[in-house]
Amino acid sequence: MSEPLLVIGNGMAAAKFCEELAGVALGRHALAVLGAEPHLAYNRVLLSDVLAGKVEVAATQLRPATWWRDIGATLICGTPALAIDRAARTVSLADGRRLPFSKLVLATGSEPIRLPLPGAGLPGVVTFRDLADVQTLMAAAKPGLKAVVIGGGLLGLEAASGLARAGAATTLVHLMDRLMERQLDPAAAALLRKAVEAQGVRVELNAESAAIEGDTRAQGLRLADGRVLHADIIVMACGVKPNAGLARAAGLACGRGVQVDDGLATSDPDIFAIGECAEHRGICYGVVAPAYEQARVLARRLAGRAARYEGSTVSTHLKVSGVFVFSAGDITPGGEEIVLFDQGLGLYRRLIVKDGRLAGAVLFGDTSDGPFYLDLITNRTPIAALRADLAFGRSLAQAA
């Protein structure tokens, strides 16, 4: 008899895990997938394009219902899991059901950070994380709408770009001195700001949010310097945190996220975690690629094959209205730097070399060689033979 395998979460990590599992162990498990959202798994990366009207909601779906049936998965959508009973090996659902499991995979993702500002609970203050958020913004976005987006990272940039393309007068507020400060150096961040402003987004840097203004609904954002940015809608897009509440309540070891070993097992050997909810060697990855790597490893392990997850080299890809940005590896000062900068064309490349190997890369404008640089970083490839042409990308470097 197939052992019951339960997956909590129906996002990108869960869908990838099921895809990988179907490829190596189809039929071995009685697979059930629980999702709190009332949708099939969808591509969150496309949410800003949905907001801007460039992509239909239906096009974000990762797999049709027929595919889930074909791999033998039972889908339960729109019904949150409430509790894990580790002793009884069951999961309680919001509709009163209790589902048994032999193995349990947590793919609960992350949840948006809401700043604890005065007035943050007013109508008109929203987050930018899922389809429900996007549908709220789409209903509001129209020419003449005044929108303020808090957060100059990936989520904030995507939200601001989508709102601006939908016709809203949009201001992006960021606490730090440059956009995407964790992924970009000052030169690339300056180019990004120029490109974002060219799309019609007003950018306010070194701007600390102090309070949401308004009586019955949000009417503006007051900054710490006393200025008030008037707004009809305020979007908090200032980061995410691992959604580890279920695991923590069940007594599983947790730090920022659900702590897992190199086999993706939690402190309970029959319960696993992957994706943004998982914390591996002290790191919670908030991007898709590590989640996919974890999904592949876990699928192989549950199929009885040898597999080990040893961490991921983090890379960031951003494509917003024709703006292309790539960052990977260690971009902090130190080591040798190779810089290629054509201001007229808006092209920028900064490569950081340490101990004869590529340690980090920042690209703006043309990011087509990003995967090449990421491969060099990940594999710690010696670059002496490539160095003279390295800044010009794969085609010249590998031909040298």
Side-chain angles (χ1 to χ4, degrees):
M1 179 181 292
S2 300
E3 61 178 356
L5 171 60
L6 195 55
V7 180
I8 301 180
N10 190 21
M12 298 177 74
K16 184 65 174 177
F17 167 72
C18 293
E19 175 189 318
E20 294 287 344
L21 188 69
V24 293
L26 186 62
R28 177 168 178 165
H29 304 275
L31 178 63
V33 181
L34 312 177
E37 293 185 70
H39 316 283
L40 296 177
Y42 59 89
N43 187 346
R44 294 185 191 276
V45 177
L46 296 176
L47 290 182
S48 61
D49 286 336
V50 173
L51 176 58
K54 295 178 63 177
V55 171
E56 295 293 328
V57 170
T60 67
Q61 189 180 98
L62 292 172
R63 295 285 188 175
T66 52
W67 179 84
W68 292 95
R69 287 197 297 268
D70 289 344
I71 67 168
T74 299
L75 282 180
I76 302 175
C77 298
T79 308
L82 296 184
I84 301 166
D85 187 330
R86 291 167 55 195
R89 286 297 192 254
T90 61
V91 171
S92 300
L93 307 188
D95 62 6
R97 280 180 288 177
R98 292 169 66 90
L99 299 183
F101 67 86
S102 174
K103 305 289 185 184
L104 176 65
V105 178
L106 301 176
T108 50
S110 56
E111 54 188 349
I113 293 173
R114 294 186 68 103
L115 298 179
L117 302 178
L122 287 169
V125 181
V126 301
T127 55
F128 183 73
R129 180 59 184 162
D130 57 26
L131 270 176
D133 292 333
V134 171
Q135 288 164 346
T136 297
L137 291 173
M138 288 174 66
K142 57 184 181 293
L145 179 84
K146 292 181 180 179
V148 170
V149 177
I150 305 174
L154 279 171
L155 285 176
L157 286 163
E158 290 176 349
S161 177
L163 284 165
R165 282 183 286 171
T170 306
T171 300
L172 179 64
V173 174
H174 192 44
L175 178 64
M176 308 304 289
D177 64 349
R178 65 181 189 270
L179 300 174
M180 292 181 66
E181 73 282 350
R182 294 181 181 178
Q183 296 90 8
L184 300 183
D185 58 25
L191 289 169
L192 177 59
R193 176 179 182 173
K194 182 178 179 181
V196 169
E197 290 178 331
Q199 296 174 11
V201 177
R202 175 184 167 192
V203 177
E204 293 281 352
L205 299 177
N206 294 307
E208 181 180 355
S209 301
I212 308 296
E213 297 284 308
D215 295 321
T216 58
R217 65 170 292 109
Q219 294 179 319
L221 175 68
R222 176 159 48 86
L223 302 179
D225 62 11
R227 287 182 296 155
V228 175
L229 305 177
H230 297 288
D232 304 303
I233 196 164
I234 296 173
V235 183
M236 288 193 182
C238 35
V240 296
K241 58 184 179 181
N243 190 357
L246 269 178
R248 193 170 279 113
L252 297 173
C254 294
R256 287 187 59 237
V258 188
Q259 294 176 342
V260 296
D261 60 19
D262 290 356
L264 287 315
T266 67
S267 53
D268 185 320
D270 291 324
I271 302 179
F272 307 84
I274 59 173
E276 294 180 0
C277 71
E279 179 181 328
H280 176 261
R281 299 186 185 180
I283 299 175
C284 296
Y285 297 99
V287 290
V288 173
Y292 281 6
E293 293 176 30
Q294 293 168 1
R296 188 174 302 112
V297 168
L298 183 56
R300 293 181 64 84
R301 288 185 64 85
L302 293 184
R305 303 186 183 185
R308 181 184 177 92
Y309 179 69
E310 297 186 348
S312 299
T313 300
V314 178
S315 64
T316 299
H317 301 256
L318 174 67
K319 178 186 176 184
V320 178
S321 287
V323 178
F324 294 86
V325 173
F326 172 86
S327 174
D330 180 6
I331 66 166
T332 57
E336 304 169 76
E337 296 189 1
I338 304 172
V339 178
L340 176 65
F341 188 13
D342 188 325
Q343 193 166 3
L345 293 177
L347 298 178
Y348 176 79
R349 292 188 176 193
R350 173 171 165 253
L351 308 177
I352 298 93
V353 178
K354 296 180 180 180
D355 300 323
R357 293 173 171 81
L358 187 64
V362 178
L363 312 180
F364 182 92
D366 179 5
T367 60
S368 58
D369 285 309
F372 168 59
Y373 294 131
L374 178 60
D375 186 63
L376 293 178
I377 295 168
T378 302
N379 295 319
R380 293 185 50 80
T381 305
I383 63 162
L386 309 175
R387 176 147 186 169
D389 298 296
L390 191 62
F392 301 100
R394 181 191 297 270
S395 57
L396 281 179
Q398 291 189 332

